[in-house]
Amino acid sequence: MVDDEEVTSFDVSNSSENDIVFIEQFVQDVIGFSSQYGSDVSISYTAYNITGKPSKFPDYGDFPQAFVMRTYGKWWNKAPSGTPPFMSQSLGKITSQDFIDLLFEEAVYPFRVSVYETYNPGSVVRIWAADVQNHWRLLWEGEPQLVGHTPRVFSPVIQTIDSPTKLLRLEFDQSHLEYYTELDAVLFVGTKVPIVSPETQQVPSYDLIVPKVGKLTSQILQLNIHNIPPQLDIPNSIVNFLDEELPQLLKETEEAAQVMVASNKMIPSTGTESFDCLPDETVLKIFGYLSLLSLCSCAQVSRRFHDLATDSLLYTELNLKVYWYCATSAALRSLSKRCQYLQKLDLSWCGDFVHITSGDFVDFIEECGSQLTHLRLNSCKFADNRCAMKVSDKCKNLQELGLRCCHNVTESGFQSLASLKNLQYLDLYRTFIDLGPLKAILKSSPQLKHINMGSCVRISSMDDIAQTLATYNKELVSVDFWKTYSLTPVGVRALHKCGKLEELDLGWCLGIGAPGDSLYSLATGCRSLRKLFLSALRGITDRDLEPFIEHCPALEQVDLLGGRSITSDICVKFLTRCTKLQLLDVSFCDQVQDSEVAYWRMVFPHVSVKRSFQHYIKS
Amino acid sequence: MMQSIVWTGRLLSRALWNGLSNYSNCADPNINRRHESRIVSAVCGFPKELAHARLKKGQFGDDAWFTAKYKSADVIGVADGVGGWRHYGIDPGEFSAFLMRTCERLVSSGKFITTEPAGLLARSYYELLESKQPILGSSTACVIVLNRETHTVYTANIGDSGFVIVRHGEVVHRSEEQQHYFNTPFQLSLPPPGHSNLVLSDRPESADMSNFQVEDGDVILLATDGVFDNVPDQLLITELIKVQGERDPTKIQGVANTIALMARSLAFDGNFMSPFAQNARENGIDAIGGKPDDITVLLATVAI
C-alpha cells in the first residue's frame, strides 16, 4: 500500500490573472455518526471505512471494507419496535434516518463533494459544512435516488459558501432502498481562497468554472488517482440548470408569490376579516397542521397570531431533530415558555458544538419535563449523567427513552434511570451501559415492551440480561441483541419465558455458536414472533429453524444471512408455510443457489427475498 | 522432466518478476525517495500449481503476504493456508489472503500496537468472524514489525512459516517452529460449524513472540515453509550475505527472486536431501527429495 498524503493540490490555473488552486482531500477522520452495521470493536462494515482513498471502488457489492449503516428500506419501521416521528407535520419533503460527520485535514472553501458509492447508491440527501463559527451551512439537498446496481461517484453541484470548512456532514435516507447502501470514500474538493468574488459577492457563472474543472478532472485522470465518470463530474450547465436550478427558481418564485398573497391578505383593507372572524379554537386547529418553523413565522404576524401560535396546546409534541442544524440553547429557552404540556420531545442529533449544553437541557427539563412521556436524545453530545439524573428525577411518567450513541452517559447516569418505573421503550444502541445499571433498570420496569441493546460492548454477560428480562419483563415485545458477543444459548433459552415476544434480533451474536435446543425452546415459547434476525449465526442448521415454521405462523421478517449450513429446503418451507412472510434474507447462505433465489422471487412475489452479492471489477 | 519444470519455472519467473515488481512496496524508486523507507523489501514467490494458479496481488497459491507501514512502524507478514481444506470444497487460499489483507488494513489505519504483533494477528483473525461471507479454513502466519525509532523488531509466529535475521553471514535471530507433530504446524482455524472438535485450532494468543534489536544493514528473510523445507540454511545464508547493507531495491529483488527460484527447483528435485526429508527421517519416515509447496519470499534489509 503506497501511503500518499491525503491532500493533493492542483494548480489548474493557466497564466491568467485569477489563480485558483484546488485542493483534493479524502476523509481524515470520522467524528460522529448515527449508526453502523459493524461493531465498534471491528473494522468491518464500520463508519471508519469511509476514511482515506477508495478501497473497493469501482468494485460493486457487499464488502466489509465499506461504511454500511444499520438499516435499509421500511423494514425497521414496520417491525413492532418501529418508532413514528413526533410532530410529523414538521418533517419536510426530504427526510433522513442517518448521518455521518467527516473531518478533513485542511479547511477549504467547498467546491465539490464526491461520494463514492459501492452498493445500492442513491441515499445521500443532504450535504452540510460547518463554517468557521461552527454553524452548519447547507451545501446541497436533494431527493433520494434509485439508480440501480452500479458503482458511482455521486457529485452534486453544491452551494458556494463564504467560509472555509474542514467538517462535512452527510445525511442519508435509505428508506426507499432495496438493501443496505455502502460508501467507500468521500472526496472533498475546495479552494484556499474563496471562488466568490469579494467585490460583487457573486459566484462566477458556471461557464467560467467549467473549463477549469475540466482541466482538474483531466489531471486527476492522468495521475490515475481515481476515476470520475466524466459525464458525472463535469457539470453541464444546461442540464444542471434544468435539473437543479430551474425547479429551485420556480419553487422560490412560487413561495415569493405565496408570501405576497399572504402579506396582501394581512393588509386589513384586503380581507384579514376571513381569519379574524374565525374563533380561536378553529385557528388553533389549523395551526395544529403547521410545522414548527411555520408556527414561529405565524407568531410574528400579529398579536393575536402570536398568542395563538405560542399556545401550549400546540406544543404537546416537539420535534427538534428535523431542525438539528439550528437548534440552540436560545431556541430551547424560547420554546420552554410554550411547552407547559409537553409530552413528546425529540432532541436527537441536536446541540453539537455545544450549541446546547447539558445545563440548557437540564433547565428545559426542569421547566417542561414533568408531563414528558417520550424523550429521544439519540446522538446528542450534550446528553451526560447530569441530564440522565435530571430526567430520572423529573420525568416520572416517562415511557420511551432513546439514548442511541450517547457516549457521555456513564454508570451513575444509567443507574439513576432505574428510578423510572413506567418505561416501556428503551433504546441503548452503542451506549456504554454496564451490566449492573441495566439489570437495575430492567428490574424496575415491569411494563418494558421494547429494548435495544445492540452493540453495547460493556455488558459482560448478556445471558444474565436475558435471564433478567425473562424474569422481570413479562410484557416484552421486542429485544435487540445485535452484535453483542456474550449472549450464549443459555440466554437464548431463557427468553422462551417472554411469551409476548414479537421481535428478536440475534444478529452477529457470535457467542451462540451451536445453538443446541435453545432455538427450539424459543420457538415453542414465543409463538407470536413476527421478526427474527439470525444474521451470521454460522452454527444454525435447518433443524434449528424447523420449530419456527411449526410454531410461529406470524413471522413476517426472517434474516438468515451467512448461515453456511442453511439449505434451500428450509427457505422453501419459510416461503410456503409462513403465510405472512414479507422479508427473507438469504445473503451469503452458500448452500442456496442464485437461481433458486431468482425462482422464489418469481413464485413468491409478496416476499422480498434478499440476496447480497460481490462483483469485482478490479482484477 | 525435471529440467523442463525448472525451465518452465524460469520462464514463468521472468514473467512473474515483471508483474511482481509492481506489487513489491519498494520496487518503485520514486516511492523510496519520497518516504525514506527504513525497511527496504522485495517479494517473490511461486504457487505450487503453476498451471492453474491465480495471479492475485498478495497471493502465491495458498500463501499470502503483505507489507504495510504506519508512522514509525514497518510491518511485513506471510501466511500459509492449510491445503487439506480443499477436500472439503474450501479454498485454503481465501483464509490466508483474508488474514493478510486485514493485517494490512489494520496497520494502514493504525489500529495496532507496535510492540504486539500477536495482537495484530489476533485482531485480524477475529475480523474473519465479522465478515458476512463465511470464510473457513486454517493458516499459519508470521508477522514482523520494525519500530524505526527503537530499532527493534517485534515478531509473532504461529506454525511453520518463519523468519531469519542475518548479520554479516551469521544468523543472529530466527523464529521457532511451532508444531503439534511432524508436518502439522500450529494453525489459526475457522472450521465449518459442527466440525470444531475434529479440527486443530490454536488460539491467536498462542503465537510465539520475540523482540530483537536490529542494526543497520541486517537482512530479514520472512518466508513460508515452502522455502525453509526445501532450502538448507547454508544455501540461504550464502544468498542473504549478498544483500547485507544493500539499499537498492532492484538488487534485493534479485536475491529474493533467486531464493524463490532455488526453493522452487529444490522442491521438485526428487533426489535432494531437503531439510524436510531430513526432518522426516528424524521422525522415522524414510523420505528423500524436496517438498512441493507454495513458495513466498519476503526479503528486507534494515536501513537506519
Side-chain angles (χ1 to χ4, degrees):
Chain A
M1 192 127 193
V2 183
D3 51 355
D4 282 321
E5 283 99 49
E6 296 292 332
V7 183
T8 326
S9 57
F10 293 97
D11 187 354
V12 296
S13 64
N14 34 30
S15 52
S16 73
E17 67 282 12
N18 294 330
D19 282 11
I20 301 176
V21 179
F22 285 96
I23 294 174
E24 301 196 304
Q25 306 177 70
F26 287 106
V27 181
Q28 185 184 40
D29 203 2
V30 173
I31 58 167
F33 58 90
S34 55
S35 83
Q36 65 181 3
Y37 187 93
S39 150
D40 286 316
V41 297
S42 157
I43 57 167
S44 301
Y45 315 104
T46 54
Y48 189 81
N49 286 334
I50 206 168
T51 57
K53 286 178 284 187
S55 52
K56 292 314 276 186
F57 188 87
D59 288 346
Y60 182 83
D62 197 343
F63 297 109
Q65 292 92 337
F67 163 46
V68 190
M69 282 162 277
R70 181 69 183 83
T71 62
Y72 66 88
K74 305 209 186 302
W75 303 106
W76 276 260
N77 276 335
K78 278 172 148 185
S81 64
T83 48
F86 305 148
M87 210 184 189
S88 52
Q89 69 272 24
S90 282
L91 302 174
K93 205 172 160 206
I94 299 170
T95 57
S96 70
Q97 298 91 42
D98 280 298
F99 73 86
I100 186 166
D101 289 343
L102 309 171
L103 187 69
F104 295 85
E105 198 177 327
E106 201 167 337
V108 291
Y109 292 87
F111 178 71
R112 181 58 54 91
V113 177
S114 302
V115 185
Y116 289 71
E117 303 179 274
T118 47
Y119 199 42
N120 294 300
S123 66
V124 181
V125 290
R126 285 189 199 94
I127 302 174
W128 300 84
D131 67 15
V132 278
Q133 273 102 38
N134 284 338
H135 289 116
W136 288 103
R137 311 273 290 268
L138 186 62
L139 297 183
W140 177 82
E141 175 177 50
E143 304 225 354
Q145 301 168 328
L146 206 51
V147 286
H149 286 305
T150 171
R152 72 164 187 174
V153 180
F154 180 60
S155 197
V157 175
I158 58 173
Q159 288 284 322
T160 317
I161 57 169
D162 57 359
S163 163
T165 181
K166 61 196 304 193
L167 179 60
L168 298 181
R169 171 175 288 198
L170 307 186
E171 274 188 77
F172 305 97
D173 177 8
Q174 315 97 311
S175 62
H176 64 299
L177 289 180
E178 275 285 293
Y179 204 56
Y180 296 97
T181 184
E182 304 202 353
L183 308 179
D184 197 358
V186 174
L187 174 67
F188 182 31
V189 185
T191 52
K192 283 302 270 184
V193 288
I195 315 178
V196 185
S197 138
E199 297 93 43
T200 58
Q201 287 297 311
Q202 270 181 351
V203 186
S205 77
Y206 278 113
D207 294 343
L208 289 173
I209 297 179
V210 167
K212 290 181 178 155
V213 178
K215 248 181 217 167
L216 173 72
T217 310
S218 67
Q219 286 199 12
I220 294 167
L221 287 173
Q222 265 173 22
L223 288 166
N224 202 18
I225 291 169
H226 63 102
N227 301 308
I228 296 179
Q231 69 275 22
L232 273 177
D233 201 55
I234 301 173
N236 180 327
S237 41
I238 296 169
V239 171
N240 179 56
F241 177 73
L242 290 176
D243 279 359
E244 312 237 349
E245 286 171 48
L246 185 61
Q248 185 69 27
L249 191 67
L250 288 175
K251 206 176 133 204
E252 273 166 20
T253 7
E254 207 175 327
E255 276 168 9
Q258 278 171 358
V259 170
M260 299 235 310
V261 171
S263 61
N264 281 342
K265 277 192 183 157
M266 295 326 289
I267 300 166
S269 58
T270 54
T272 22
E273 294 89 344
S274 52
F275 243 108
D276 278 347
C277 64
L278 290 176
D280 284 358
E281 289 76 8
T282 315
V283 179
L284 271 181
K285 178 79 180 164
I286 296 168
F287 278 4
Y289 293 102
L290 294 183
S291 71
L292 184 59
L293 279 190
S294 307
L295 280 177
C296 292
S297 306
C298 287
Q300 294 168 15
V301 168
S302 67
R303 180 155 292 282
R304 177 167 178 247
F305 264 37
H306 178 269
D307 293 345
L308 288 173
T310 57
D311 192 302
S312 298
L313 284 174
L314 291 171
Y315 297 88
T316 54
E317 293 187 13
L318 189 58
N319 186 345
L320 289 179
K321 180 190 174 191
V322 285
Y323 307 114
W324 60 267
Y325 50 91
C326 61
T328 59
S329 54
L332 211 54
R333 260 198 308 281
S334 74
L335 282 169
S336 69
K337 298 182 193 82
R338 317 173 187 178
C339 294
Q340 296 316 304
Y341 306 128
L342 187 65
Q343 292 173 359
K344 299 181 177 180
L345 173 64
D346 193 343
L347 276 175
S348 301
W349 304 10
C350 291
D352 36 3
F353 301 123
V354 209
H355 287 321
I356 295 175
T357 64
S358 63
D360 299 327
F361 176 77
V362 166
D363 292 347
F364 184 85
I365 291 298
E366 175 61 36
E367 207 160 330
C368 317
S370 57
Q371 315 269 329
L372 216 56
T373 55
H374 294 63
L375 176 61
R376 294 177 191 163
L377 297 173
N378 304 325
S379 301
C380 283
K381 294 200 181 78
F382 65 79
D384 59 8
N385 290 340
R386 212 175 133 208
C387 297
M389 286 176 197
K390 190 70 197 175
V391 168
S392 315
D393 188 40
K394 191 79 186 178
C395 315
K396 289 298 176 197
N397 297 318
L398 203 65
Q399 295 168 14
E400 177 187 324
L401 179 60
L403 292 173
R404 293 171 76 88
C405 305
C406 288
H407 289 168
N408 293 324
V409 185
T410 58
E411 190 162 1
S412 55
F414 286 120
Q415 192 69 46
S416 71
L417 296 177
S419 65
L420 296 169
K421 305 293 177 201
N422 298 307
L423 273 183
Q424 294 181 18
Y425 185 107
L426 184 59
D427 192 343
L428 298 170
Y429 171 77
R430 279 190 77 232
T431 54
F432 295 144
I433 192 164
D434 294 294
L435 182 64
L438 183 53
K439 274 176 82 173
I441 294 170
L442 296 180
K443 285 182 184 173
S444 66
S445 308
Q447 298 167 47
L448 192 74
K449 287 188 176 144
H450 305 279
I451 183 156
N452 185 342
M453 298 166 290
S455 293
C456 287
V457 289
R458 299 269 176 96
I459 296 171
S460 50
S461 167
M462 265 306 171
D463 287 347
D464 204 345
I465 295 297
Q467 281 157 345
T468 312
L469 282 168
T471 318
Y472 294 92
N473 308 99
K474 296 289 184 195
E475 300 297 315
L476 202 67
V477 173
S478 85
V479 55
D480 189 337
F481 288 106
W482 182 263
K483 295 259 179 192
T484 55
Y485 302 110
S486 57
L487 189 73
T488 74
V490 177
V492 178
R493 192 177 296 110
L495 289 173
H496 82 272
K497 289 188 203 149
C498 301
K500 296 185 178 171
L501 202 65
E502 291 177 23
E503 176 180 345
L504 178 61
D505 195 330
L506 297 174
W508 298 87
C509 293
L510 301 177
I512 292 176
D517 65 346
S518 61
L519 291 179
Y520 174 78
S521 313
L522 192 72
T524 48
C526 313
R527 297 181 179 223
S528 337
L529 270 181
R530 287 167 55 199
K531 167 175 167 174
L532 180 66
F533 269 42
L534 303 171
S535 332
L537 299 190
R538 319 284 189 196
I540 54 171
T541 60
D542 289 3
R543 199 179 59 89
D544 299 313
L545 295 172
E546 291 272 7
F548 292 104
I549 293 164
E550 194 79 25
H551 303 290
C552 308
L555 274 175
E556 292 166 6
Q557 303 182 24
V558 176
D559 184 336
L560 305 173
L561 177 142
R564 205 186 143 88
S565 328
I566 292 165
T567 70
S568 27
D569 290 351
I570 198 78
C571 298
V572 170
K573 282 187 187 161
F574 271 115
L575 288 164
T576 48
R577 292 178 56 192
C578 295
T579 50
K580 302 220 168 123
L581 197 69
Q582 296 169 18
L583 171 79
L584 179 67
D585 193 336
V586 290
S587 300
F588 299 103
C589 293
D590 287 355
Q591 314 265 342
V592 178
Q593 305 299 315
D594 285 341
S595 54
E596 289 171 307
V597 173
Y599 177 69
W600 296 338
R601 282 177 179 156
M602 236 161 51
V603 181
F604 306 99
H606 57 285
V607 184
S608 189
V609 185
K610 303 296 182 192
R611 177 74 156 180
S612 212
F613 61 87
Q614 300 181 331
H615 183 51
Y616 290 89
I617 292 171
K618 278 188 199 168
S619 63
Chain B
M1 181 62 199
M2 203 67 256
Q3 199 71 11
S4 76
I5 289 171
V6 173
W7 270 110
T8 329
R10 260 180 215 160
L11 284 175
L12 260 161
S13 78
R14 188 141 320 146
L16 284 176
W17 290 354
N18 296 333
L20 289 173
S21 56
N22 295 330
Y23 299 157
S24 90
N25 209 2
C26 302
D28 180 0
N30 292 326
I31 296 170
N32 267 320
R33 217 176 300 133
R34 277 182 53 201
H35 294 291
E36 287 239 83
S37 160
R38 294 306 180 112
I39 185 163
V40 190
S41 64
V43 188
C44 189
F46 296 98
K48 180 165 132 189
E49 311 274 350
L50 278 171
H52 18 114
R54 62 192 134 204
L55 264 179
K56 265 196 189 165
K57 185 191 166 175
Q59 279 181 273
F60 296 109
D62 301 337
D63 284 4
W65 59 271
F66 80 99
T67 66
K69 61 178 77 175
Y70 181 77
K71 291 187 176 163
S72 64
D74 287 311
V75 189
I76 54 180
V78 294
D80 178 3
V82 173
W85 287 104
R86 203 164 272 116
H87 304 301
Y88 295 83
I90 294 165
D91 175 1
E94 220 174 87
F95 189 99
S96 53
F98 187 98
L99 200 65
M100 290 295 101
R101 270 206 318 271
T102 310
C103 278
E104 183 184 329
R105 280 176 69 207
L106 287 165
V107 172
S108 305
S109 56
K111 293 189 191 307
F112 74 110
I113 302 165
T114 317
T115 52
E116 290 174 16
L120 175 65
L121 267 182
R123 221 176 143 187
S124 180
Y125 169 74
Y126 289 120
E127 212 60 47
L128 281 158
L129 305 168
E130 296 284 344
S131 169
K132 290 184 188 178
Q133 174 82 57
I135 297 170
L136 303 178
S138 47
S139 173
T140 71
C142 185
V143 170
I144 300 182
V145 183
L146 169 71
N147 184 335
R148 275 177 262 146
E149 278 163 6
T150 60
H151 306 160
T152 309
V153 293
Y154 299 89
T155 71
N157 184 35
I158 295 177
D160 56 3
S161 293
F163 62 90
V164 285
I165 300 177
V166 174
R167 185 180 298 161
H168 305 298
E170 293 282 328
V171 174
V172 284
H173 189 57
R174 74 182 310 158
S175 56
E176 300 216 359
E177 199 170 273
Q178 288 178 301
Q179 285 201 342
H180 290 286
Y181 37 86
F182 175 65
N183 207 20
T184 307
F186 272 47
Q187 49 199 269
L188 297 170
S189 335
L190 279 181
H195 288 69
S196 345
N197 303 334
L198 311 170
V199 173
L200 273 176
S201 185
D202 300 290
R203 301 193 54 78
E205 292 78 10
S206 66
D208 176 50
M209 284 171 287
S210 75
N211 60 73
F212 181 73
Q213 202 79 26
V214 288
E215 290 177 9
D216 183 47
D218 283 359
V219 184
I220 303 172
L221 170 72
L222 178 61
T224 50
D225 59 340
V227 175
F228 295 113
D229 278 348
N230 290 309
V231 188
D233 265 10
Q234 206 42 57
L235 271 177
L236 278 179
I237 291 166
T238 321
E239 285 304 314
L240 294 177
I241 282 178
K242 295 180 186 164
V243 282
Q244 170 74 38
E246 186 58 68
R247 295 183 190 202
D248 179 0
T250 331
K251 295 210 173 116
I252 298 171
Q253 183 73 57
V255 171
N257 295 345
T258 314
I259 294 174
L261 198 52
M262 193 152 52
R264 173 78 193 175
S265 317
L266 293 173
F268 286 93
D269 187 337
N271 300 315
F272 174 63
M273 181 50 79
S274 64
F276 178 78
Q278 272 170 12
N279 239 325
R281 291 195 171 204
E282 279 159 28
N283 283 277
I285 304 165
D286 185 24
I288 189 142
K291 180 194 172 202
D293 200 351
D294 300 315
I295 289 158
T296 301
V297 175
L298 252 164
L299 186 58
T301 60
V302 180
I304 291 169

